[in-house]
Amino acid sequence: MSELIFENGPEEKIDIPAAEGDKNGKPQGMAVLNDPLHGMYIPTFLLISGSFIMYFITSYKRCLLFIPITAFILIYRFTMARLNVKRELNFDTWTELELEDKFIISRDTCIYTFKLNSARESLNCPPGFSVAIQAFEHVDTGDVLFDLPKIKETEVGDEDKTAEDSFVHDYRESLEEESVLLEKEEENVFNLDDPSKYKEIVRFYNPISSNQAKGTFDLLIKSDPKGKFSKKMASNSYNGLKLKFKGFVGTYNHSDSTKEFDKLVMLTGGSGITPMLQVITKSVEDEDSLSIDLIYCNKTKKDILLKQELDDIAQSTKRINTTYITEESVGLLSFHDINSKVDDLQKTRFLICGNEGFNKHVIKLLKDNYKIDPELSEKQIFVF
Ligand SMILES: Cc1cc2nc3c(=O)[nH]c(=O)nc-3n(C[C@H](O)[C@H](O)[C@H](O)COP(=O)(O)OP(=O)(O)OC[C@H]3O[C@@H](n4cnc5c(N)ncnc54)[C@H](O)[C@@H]3O)c2cc1C
């Protein structure tokens, strides 16, 4: 059993108030106007043709006033469309983004919401791709910082001078000043922590929010009690914390799935659910015809992440099914579990994501039991 990291307990909202506004953009009723057909083409056509018809019927010139009004609406709509920016993170330089919210979803896992630069931006991360986050580790102590230590410019000497310049102190006052100086000195020693003593560490996470979400994006981070970055995030992250991101990283190609296969069998464990959720979301949003069987393996029932969300998707979309396997009740994933989801092997693609041991176990089950064309095997058995 893994160590309990979050004291607040599962499913409890912590420290940061809920994000303001609608994370998914405009309210549902108005969302239809974001579609160019409904938001631009139809209103333009109706206003211009209406103005001409009225003018021909009535010969009343004021009817033509609708034409500049239409032009204004068009300019407005184009401007709004341009402001709805898709954010591509830069692959070469770090982009600083701020933590806005965090939400504990299990004893060791949290969803972190990061703010994009504007409420109209959305993170355009391809399914199966991840973002990289930068941190720094002290080479001697192993301490992890989200940013390199900064040297403060306060000089202890300056404070001393001020004290010396003043002739009249009573004994008590001078004692107080001395203790303040000592504190400053300690602070300076701390701040003089040599940045060259830190080495960069980089960790990868798959955003789980839809690319249609505006203004923010979500990362699910499972905290490893012995891990450097994930443990620091669990214990030391706060509203307003700025982290540096690069992106996007990955090799999964969703059009390979839709063009060459009919079915995806997803074999995953623990936080490996994140790329699977991205692919499921993409498939649902595109309304493609893939049938998807997710087999999600965990140690115990409590470790199953996002179960409610996954069940909701499976309920609303018949072509998506979920199966949960826990070590405590069923044991390890078996070939029978996998084979029960396969109808036509040639048309089935296996997507795998778990820890090293899980991936090895699953690949061995597939290769030992199926005759998979070696040329096809890399495409047919895709490991995130
Ligand atoms: C492409 C990609 C996408 C990912 N997406 C997600 C995601 O969406 N969500 C998520 O939670 N995670 C994801 N991960 C995993 C994530 O990037 C981190 O690896 C994870 O959070 C652990 O990082 P850490 O710094 O906390 O642990 P680390 O410090 O890297 O340690 C991890 C484990 O390895 C052990 N270890 C470290 N060094 C050694 C050593 N020298 N010898 C033996 N054992 C050692 C530690 O004890 C610890 O148990 C992804 C990984 C990749 C590559």
mmCIF file of all heavy atoms in Angstrom, residues 130 201 203-206 220-222 224 226-231 249 271 274-275 384, ligand 1:
data_model
loop_
_atom_site.group_PDB
_atom_site.id
_atom_site.type_symbol
_atom_site.label_atom_id
_atom_site.label_comp_id
_atom_site.label_asym_id
_atom_site.label_seq_id
_atom_site.Cartn_x
_atom_site.Cartn_y
_atom_site.Cartn_z
ATOM 1 N N SER A 130 2.544 15.131 -24.154
ATOM 2 C CA SER A 130 2.669 15.665 -22.796
ATOM 3 C C SER A 130 3.370 17.022 -22.808
ATOM 4 O O SER A 130 3.946 17.427 -23.821
ATOM 5 C CB SER A 130 3.457 14.684 -21.924
ATOM 6 O OG SER A 130 4.685 14.395 -22.531
ATOM 7 N N ILE A 201 15.967 19.494 -13.401
ATOM 8 C CA ILE A 201 15.255 18.225 -13.610
ATOM 9 C C ILE A 201 13.982 18.542 -14.392
ATOM 10 O O ILE A 201 13.386 19.606 -14.210
ATOM 11 C CB ILE A 201 14.926 17.475 -12.284
ATOM 12 C CG1 ILE A 201 14.098 18.326 -11.322
ATOM 13 C CG2 ILE A 201 16.184 16.975 -11.612
ATOM 14 C CD1 ILE A 201 13.554 17.537 -10.128
ATOM 15 N N ARG A 203 10.192 16.949 -15.793
ATOM 16 C CA ARG A 203 9.196 15.873 -15.714
ATOM 17 C C ARG A 203 8.070 16.136 -16.715
ATOM 18 O O ARG A 203 7.783 17.280 -17.033
ATOM 19 C CB ARG A 203 8.612 15.779 -14.299
ATOM 20 C CG ARG A 203 9.628 15.415 -13.225
ATOM 21 C CD ARG A 203 10.139 13.987 -13.380
ATOM 22 N NE ARG A 203 11.075 13.616 -12.322
ATOM 23 C CZ ARG A 203 12.403 13.742 -12.407
ATOM 24 N NH1 ARG A 203 12.950 14.240 -13.504
ATOM 25 N NH2 ARG A 203 13.174 13.367 -11.399
ATOM 26 N N PHE A 204 7.432 15.037 -17.161
ATOM 27 C CA PHE A 204 6.422 15.129 -18.225
ATOM 28 C C PHE A 204 5.032 14.773 -17.700
ATOM 29 O O PHE A 204 4.895 13.821 -16.934
ATOM 30 C CB PHE A 204 6.790 14.181 -19.367
ATOM 31 C CG PHE A 204 8.121 14.507 -19.966
ATOM 32 C CD1 PHE A 204 9.291 13.947 -19.460
ATOM 33 C CD2 PHE A 204 8.225 15.412 -21.010
ATOM 34 C CE1 PHE A 204 10.525 14.275 -19.984
ATOM 35 C CE2 PHE A 204 9.459 15.748 -21.542
ATOM 36 C CZ PHE A 204 10.613 15.172 -21.028
ATOM 37 N N TYR A 205 4.029 15.500 -18.152
ATOM 38 C CA TYR A 205 2.646 15.224 -17.741
ATOM 39 C C TYR A 205 1.698 15.449 -18.918
ATOM 40 O O TYR A 205 1.858 16.408 -19.674
ATOM 41 C CB TYR A 205 2.253 16.098 -16.531
ATOM 42 C CG TYR A 205 3.132 15.778 -15.338
ATOM 43 C CD1 TYR A 205 4.271 16.540 -15.057
ATOM 44 C CD2 TYR A 205 2.874 14.668 -14.539
ATOM 45 C CE1 TYR A 205 5.117 16.210 -14.005
ATOM 46 C CE2 TYR A 205 3.723 14.331 -13.479
ATOM 47 C CZ TYR A 205 4.841 15.101 -13.224
ATOM 48 O OH TYR A 205 5.682 14.758 -12.195
ATOM 49 N N ASN A 206 0.698 14.561 -19.027
ATOM 50 C CA ASN A 206 -0.276 14.674 -20.128
ATOM 51 C C ASN A 206 -1.479 15.498 -19.672
ATOM 52 O O ASN A 206 -2.185 15.057 -18.755
ATOM 53 C CB ASN A 206 -0.769 13.284 -20.525
ATOM 54 C CG ASN A 206 0.325 12.429 -21.105
ATOM 55 O OD1 ASN A 206 1.279 12.080 -20.416
ATOM 56 N ND2 ASN A 206 0.230 12.111 -22.358
ATOM 57 N N LEU A 220 -2.981 15.917 -14.215
ATOM 58 C CA LEU A 220 -3.189 14.970 -13.119
ATOM 59 C C LEU A 220 -1.803 14.468 -12.710
ATOM 60 O O LEU A 220 -1.068 13.933 -13.543
ATOM 61 C CB LEU A 220 -4.073 13.816 -13.595
ATOM 62 C CG LEU A 220 -4.333 12.663 -12.625
ATOM 63 C CD1 LEU A 220 -5.674 12.012 -12.945
ATOM 64 C CD2 LEU A 220 -3.236 11.602 -12.665
ATOM 65 N N ILE A 221 -1.427 14.688 -11.452
ATOM 66 C CA ILE A 221 -0.102 14.255 -11.012
ATOM 67 C C ILE A 221 -0.226 13.315 -9.822
ATOM 68 O O ILE A 221 -0.768 13.672 -8.767
ATOM 69 C CB ILE A 221 0.809 15.464 -10.670
ATOM 70 C CG1 ILE A 221 0.929 16.379 -11.901
ATOM 71 C CG2 ILE A 221 2.190 14.985 -10.214
ATOM 72 C CD1 ILE A 221 1.876 17.551 -11.743
ATOM 73 N N LYS A 222 0.250 12.101 -10.043
ATOM 74 C CA LYS A 222 0.254 11.110 -8.963
ATOM 75 C C LYS A 222 1.551 11.291 -8.187
ATOM 76 O O LYS A 222 2.636 11.308 -8.774
ATOM 77 C CB LYS A 222 0.183 9.715 -9.563
ATOM 78 C CG LYS A 222 0.122 8.625 -8.534
ATOM 79 C CD LYS A 222 -0.149 7.300 -9.194
ATOM 80 C CE LYS A 222 -0.034 6.217 -8.140
ATOM 81 N NZ LYS A 222 -0.961 5.149 -8.334
ATOM 82 N N ASP A 224 4.598 10.395 -5.984
ATOM 83 C CA ASP A 224 5.423 9.275 -5.531
ATOM 84 C C ASP A 224 6.107 9.727 -4.241
ATOM 85 O O ASP A 224 6.833 10.726 -4.243
ATOM 86 C CB ASP A 224 6.466 8.992 -6.637
ATOM 87 C CG ASP A 224 7.338 7.796 -6.314
ATOM 88 O OD1 ASP A 224 7.542 7.513 -5.114
ATOM 89 O OD2 ASP A 224 7.822 7.160 -7.263
ATOM 90 N N LYS A 226 8.616 8.852 -2.819
ATOM 91 C CA LYS A 226 10.076 8.947 -2.941
ATOM 92 C C LYS A 226 10.475 9.781 -4.149
ATOM 93 O O LYS A 226 11.656 9.938 -4.458
ATOM 94 C CB LYS A 226 10.669 7.548 -3.059
ATOM 95 C CG LYS A 226 10.566 6.776 -1.760
ATOM 96 C CD LYS A 226 11.260 5.440 -1.890
ATOM 97 C CE LYS A 226 10.988 4.597 -0.666
ATOM 98 N NZ LYS A 226 10.864 3.181 -0.993
ATOM 99 N N GLY A 227 9.501 10.297 -4.858
ATOM 100 C CA GLY A 227 9.782 11.053 -6.084
ATOM 101 C C GLY A 227 10.188 12.482 -5.772
ATOM 102 O O GLY A 227 9.740 13.063 -4.789
ATOM 103 N N LYS A 228 11.006 13.069 -6.637
ATOM 104 C CA LYS A 228 11.495 14.422 -6.376
ATOM 105 C C LYS A 228 10.414 15.450 -6.697
ATOM 106 O O LYS A 228 9.979 16.221 -5.856
ATOM 107 C CB LYS A 228 12.745 14.699 -7.218
ATOM 108 C CG LYS A 228 13.931 13.911 -6.733
ATOM 109 C CD LYS A 228 15.035 13.893 -7.748
ATOM 110 C CE LYS A 228 16.079 12.843 -7.380
ATOM 111 N NZ LYS A 228 16.825 12.383 -8.527
ATOM 112 N N PHE A 229 9.992 15.473 -7.953
ATOM 113 C CA PHE A 229 9.092 16.533 -8.407
ATOM 114 C C PHE A 229 7.664 16.343 -7.882
ATOM 115 O O PHE A 229 7.059 17.272 -7.353
ATOM 116 C CB PHE A 229 9.102 16.610 -9.935
ATOM 117 C CG PHE A 229 8.251 17.695 -10.468
ATOM 118 C CD1 PHE A 229 8.734 18.990 -10.537
ATOM 119 C CD2 PHE A 229 6.938 17.455 -10.856
ATOM 120 C CE1 PHE A 229 7.936 20.021 -10.999
ATOM 121 C CE2 PHE A 229 6.130 18.474 -11.324
ATOM 122 C CZ PHE A 229 6.638 19.757 -11.400
ATOM 123 N N SER A 230 7.137 15.116 -8.028
ATOM 124 C CA SER A 230 5.724 14.911 -7.686
ATOM 125 C C SER A 230 5.492 15.099 -6.188
ATOM 126 O O SER A 230 4.435 15.579 -5.775
ATOM 127 C CB SER A 230 5.251 13.541 -8.160
ATOM 128 O OG SER A 230 5.991 12.527 -7.528
ATOM 129 N N LYS A 231 6.482 14.753 -5.378
ATOM 130 C CA LYS A 231 6.338 14.930 -3.927
ATOM 131 C C LYS A 231 6.344 16.424 -3.582
ATOM 132 O O LYS A 231 5.571 16.902 -2.755
ATOM 133 C CB LYS A 231 7.477 14.210 -3.207
ATOM 134 C CG LYS A 231 7.272 14.113 -1.731
ATOM 135 C CD LYS A 231 8.396 13.363 -1.096
ATOM 136 C CE LYS A 231 8.394 13.621 0.400
ATOM 137 N NZ LYS A 231 9.692 13.332 0.974
ATOM 138 N N VAL A 249 5.314 17.010 -26.261
ATOM 139 C CA VAL A 249 6.214 15.882 -26.486
ATOM 140 C C VAL A 249 5.386 14.614 -26.694
ATOM 141 O O VAL A 249 4.509 14.315 -25.890
ATOM 142 C CB VAL A 249 7.122 15.683 -25.238
ATOM 143 C CG1 VAL A 249 8.164 14.606 -25.496
ATOM 144 C CG2 VAL A 249 7.779 16.985 -24.834
ATOM 145 N N SER A 271 -1.353 6.234 -13.034
ATOM 146 C CA SER A 271 -1.444 7.536 -13.709
ATOM 147 C C SER A 271 -1.312 7.395 -15.230
ATOM 148 O O SER A 271 -1.434 8.386 -15.949
ATOM 149 C CB SER A 271 -0.385 8.493 -13.169
ATOM 150 O OG SER A 271 0.902 7.955 -13.414
ATOM 151 N N THR A 274 -3.776 8.991 -18.008
ATOM 152 C CA THR A 274 -3.854 10.345 -18.598
ATOM 153 C C THR A 274 -3.792 10.356 -20.133
ATOM 154 O O THR A 274 -4.647 10.980 -20.755
ATOM 155 C CB THR A 274 -2.815 11.312 -17.983
ATOM 156 O OG1 THR A 274 -1.529 10.713 -18.093
ATOM 157 C CG2 THR A 274 -3.125 11.621 -16.538
ATOM 158 N N PRO A 275 -2.830 9.660 -20.787
ATOM 159 C CA PRO A 275 -2.866 9.694 -22.254
ATOM 160 C C PRO A 275 -4.102 8.991 -22.816
ATOM 161 O O PRO A 275 -4.614 9.369 -23.875
ATOM 162 C CB PRO A 275 -1.582 8.967 -22.676
ATOM 163 C CG PRO A 275 -1.141 8.202 -21.492
ATOM 164 C CD PRO A 275 -1.643 8.934 -20.297
ATOM 165 N N PHE A 384 2.897 4.384 -24.782
ATOM 166 C CA PHE A 384 3.083 5.840 -24.562
ATOM 167 C C PHE A 384 4.376 6.100 -23.799
ATOM 168 O O PHE A 384 4.793 5.297 -22.990
ATOM 169 C CB PHE A 384 1.901 6.417 -23.772
ATOM 170 C CG PHE A 384 0.676 6.544 -24.620
ATOM 171 C CD1 PHE A 384 -0.315 5.574 -24.556
ATOM 172 C CD2 PHE A 384 0.517 7.604 -25.505
ATOM 173 C CE1 PHE A 384 -1.463 5.695 -25.337
ATOM 174 C CE2 PHE A 384 -0.621 7.716 -26.287
ATOM 175 C CZ PHE A 384 -1.604 6.757 -26.202
HETATM 176 C C1 LIG B 1 5.694 11.051 -21.504
HETATM 177 C C2 LIG B 1 5.344 10.945 -20.035
HETATM 178 C C3 LIG B 1 4.098 11.359 -19.589
HETATM 179 C C4 LIG B 1 3.770 11.279 -18.229
HETATM 180 N N1 LIG B 1 2.524 11.685 -17.805
HETATM 181 C C5 LIG B 1 2.232 11.638 -16.481
HETATM 182 C C6 LIG B 1 0.953 12.109 -16.003
HETATM 183 O O1 LIG B 1 0.105 12.594 -16.765
HETATM 184 N N2 LIG B 1 0.707 12.022 -14.674
HETATM 185 C C7 LIG B 1 1.641 11.508 -13.773
HETATM 186 O O2 LIG B 1 1.357 11.467 -12.571
HETATM 187 N N3 LIG B 1 2.852 11.092 -14.211
HETATM 188 C C8 LIG B 1 3.181 11.152 -15.518
HETATM 189 N N4 LIG B 1 4.418 10.762 -15.944
HETATM 190 C C9 LIG B 1 5.455 10.433 -14.924
HETATM 191 C C10 LIG B 1 6.118 11.748 -14.470
HETATM 192 O O3 LIG B 1 6.761 12.384 -15.541
HETATM 193 C C11 LIG B 1 7.172 11.543 -13.380
HETATM 194 O O4 LIG B 1 8.075 10.577 -13.810
HETATM 195 C C12 LIG B 1 6.570 11.133 -12.060
HETATM 196 O O5 LIG B 1 5.694 12.159 -11.593
HETATM 197 C C13 LIG B 1 7.654 10.877 -11.009
HETATM 198 O O6 LIG B 1 8.507 11.981 -10.950
HETATM 199 P P1 LIG B 1 9.265 12.352 -9.588
HETATM 200 O O7 LIG B 1 10.272 13.404 -9.888
HETATM 201 O O8 LIG B 1 8.298 12.621 -8.510
HETATM 202 O O9 LIG B 1 9.969 10.982 -9.224
HETATM 203 P P2 LIG B 1 11.510 10.602 -9.441
HETATM 204 O O10 LIG B 1 12.371 11.366 -8.540
HETATM 205 O O11 LIG B 1 11.810 10.670 -10.891
HETATM 206 O O12 LIG B 1 11.500 9.094 -8.958
HETATM 207 C C14 LIG B 1 10.556 8.149 -9.445
HETATM 208 C C15 LIG B 1 10.781 6.830 -8.725
HETATM 209 O O13 LIG B 1 12.019 6.290 -9.124
HETATM 210 C C16 LIG B 1 12.809 5.987 -8.006
HETATM 211 N N5 LIG B 1 14.194 6.326 -8.342
HETATM 212 C C17 LIG B 1 14.668 7.545 -8.686
HETATM 213 N N6 LIG B 1 15.988 7.479 -8.946
HETATM 214 C C18 LIG B 1 16.328 6.194 -8.758
HETATM 215 C C19 LIG B 1 17.538 5.478 -8.883
HETATM 216 N N7 LIG B 1 18.664 6.093 -9.236
HETATM 217 N N8 LIG B 1 17.520 4.153 -8.615
HETATM 218 C C20 LIG B 1 16.384 3.527 -8.252
HETATM 219 N N9 LIG B 1 15.218 4.139 -8.121
HETATM 220 C C21 LIG B 1 15.183 5.444 -8.369
HETATM 221 C C22 LIG B 1 12.276 6.849 -6.876
HETATM 222 O O14 LIG B 1 12.474 6.228 -5.616
HETATM 223 C C23 LIG B 1 10.822 6.977 -7.205
HETATM 224 O O15 LIG B 1 10.086 5.929 -6.600
HETATM 225 C C24 LIG B 1 4.735 10.785 -17.302
HETATM 226 C C25 LIG B 1 5.987 10.367 -17.756
HETATM 227 C C26 LIG B 1 6.298 10.447 -19.101
HETATM 228 C C27 LIG B 1 7.653 10.002 -19.565
#
